[in-house]
Amino acid sequence: MGMKTVLSHLKETKPGVLALFDPDRIPKSRIKEQTRLVCESGVKGILIGSSILLNPQFESFVLEVKKNASCPVILFPGGSHQISSHADAILFLSLLSGRNPQFLIGEQIKAVFLIKEYNIEVIPVGYILIESGSYTTVEYISGTRPIPRNKPEIVIAHCLAAQYFGMKYIYLEAGSGAKNPVPKRVVQMVKKNIDIPLIVGGGIRREQEAEELLNAGADFIVLGSIIERSKKTFKNIMRSLR
Ligand code: 1GP
């Protein structure tokens, strides 16, 4: 990214869409094509991460994305084993909605010296799970319960805590492949009460959902599964947002 930081790039290009690439779901042979597709469609960045990470070729996955990407490549790690020197930045997440010390601070401590060694740009993010209507992988793996979707005041309290900790972004997560995305009412209410930008992801599969969440105040929405499931739908969503 040259001298410009990823954080300033995101600030200048919002609102928009971030693509999520899960190394467990994209075969090596399709990385190049998928990277070019999302960049040409106008995503503002590519997130790479997985709740579990079964793929042993993580480093080469990130490198292949980086080689073909014209936008920033940002780690979105499910744990301390998902750090790569090839990325432009890392979302340094703390799973604030949970009460599991492993994902609040434990994984982070295991990752810090590697991040320092690689000199990756660090973007501190408050990661907040919202109940989505089905049991998601991220809930299972993190061993945490999400915040009920009809309790916006609890969501706001967690978002304010993130802001007061000095975090640069909030990520409201319904979970990959979620039955329902984060409700737009929750996004609207959060937006009214916090000053830091908001990323919203999980279960966004329709043009209308994407549009509504951006209108509700999401600075970025994240599209993951839909890119793999239907390129046509993904392209339509991207077109509808132009
Ligand atoms: C998961 O928010 C992302 O962290 C993307 O979710 O795969 O449902 O688009 P989807």
Side-chain angles (χ1 to χ4, degrees):
M1 284 304 290
M3 289 304 285
K4 202 159 102 183
T5 63
V6 172
L7 193 63
S8 65
H9 163 84
L10 292 176
K11 195 174 172 192
E12 284 161 21
T13 60
K14 71 188 170 88
V17 176
L18 302 172
L20 169 69
F21 286 5
D22 183 334
D24 286 340
R25 292 199 304 234
I26 303 177
K28 200 171 188 307
S29 57
R30 289 227 320 273
I31 301 173
K32 187 172 169 179
E33 172 208 334
Q34 199 102 317
T35 305
R36 297 206 167 157
L37 166 80
V38 299
C39 290
E40 280 159 19
S41 307
V43 302
K44 306 292 170 61
I46 299 174
L47 304 181
I48 300 181
S50 177
S51 291
I52 318 184
L53 191 66
L54 305 169
N55 183 345
Q57 310 290 333
F58 182 69
E59 272 288 330
S60 63
F61 185 96
V62 179
L63 180 60
E64 185 68 7
V65 175
K66 178 64 192 162
K67 273 199 221 152
N68 292 285
S70 54
C71 62
V73 175
I74 306 165
L75 300 173
F76 173 51
S80 56
H81 56 307
Q82 297 177 34
I83 314 287
S84 161
S85 59
H86 304 304
D88 297 303
I90 179 168
L91 300 187
F92 196 68
L93 307 166
S94 179
L95 179 49
L96 297 179
S97 56
R99 299 296 179 268
N100 179 352
Q102 185 190 351
F103 293 100
L104 275 166
I105 187 64
E107 290 297 313
Q108 293 81 344
I109 295 299
K110 287 194 271 174
V112 287
F113 285 116
L114 203 51
I115 294 172
K116 189 168 159 56
E117 169 87 11
Y118 291 164
N119 200 18
I120 315 169
E121 181 184 340
V122 173
I123 303 176
V125 175
Y127 191 48
I128 296 170
L129 300 190
I130 312 289
E131 185 201 348
S132 66
S134 57
Y135 189 38
T136 60
T137 309
V138 61
E139 287 173 50
Y140 174 74
I141 296 294
S142 68
T144 69
R145 301 280 307 273
I147 300 175
R149 54 193 288 110
N150 60 348
K151 300 281 182 202
E153 66 283 2
I154 302 181
V155 182
I156 292 167
H158 285 76
C159 292
L160 280 174
Q163 181 177 319
Y164 296 159
F165 271 131
M167 290 168 169
K168 299 288 187 227
Y169 269 89
I170 303 282
Y171 192 131
L172 296 182
E173 171 73 277
S176 190
K179 192 170 163 198
N180 303 295
V182 175
K184 65 175 182 199
R185 180 167 162 265
V186 171
V187 174
Q188 277 163 348
M189 290 185 67
V190 164
K191 197 63 191 175
K192 262 191 221 143
N193 285 278
I194 61 159
D195 300 324
I196 55 175
L198 193 55
I199 302 171
V200 179
I204 304 169
R205 289 179 279 266
R206 294 178 193 87
E207 291 166 38
Q208 195 192 339
E209 290 163 342
E211 218 173 284
E212 280 180 357
L213 289 168
L214 285 166
N215 288 339
D219 295 277
F220 290 100
I221 56 164
V222 181
L223 300 178
S225 324
I226 195 63
I227 307 169
E228 294 138 48
R229 261 202 250 165
S230 166
K231 287 198 175 46
K232 191 168 162 238
T233 312
F234 168 71
K235 284 187 190 165
N236 286 342
I237 296 177
M238 294 304 292
R239 223 171 281 138
S240 75
L241 297 176
R242 274 198 198 132

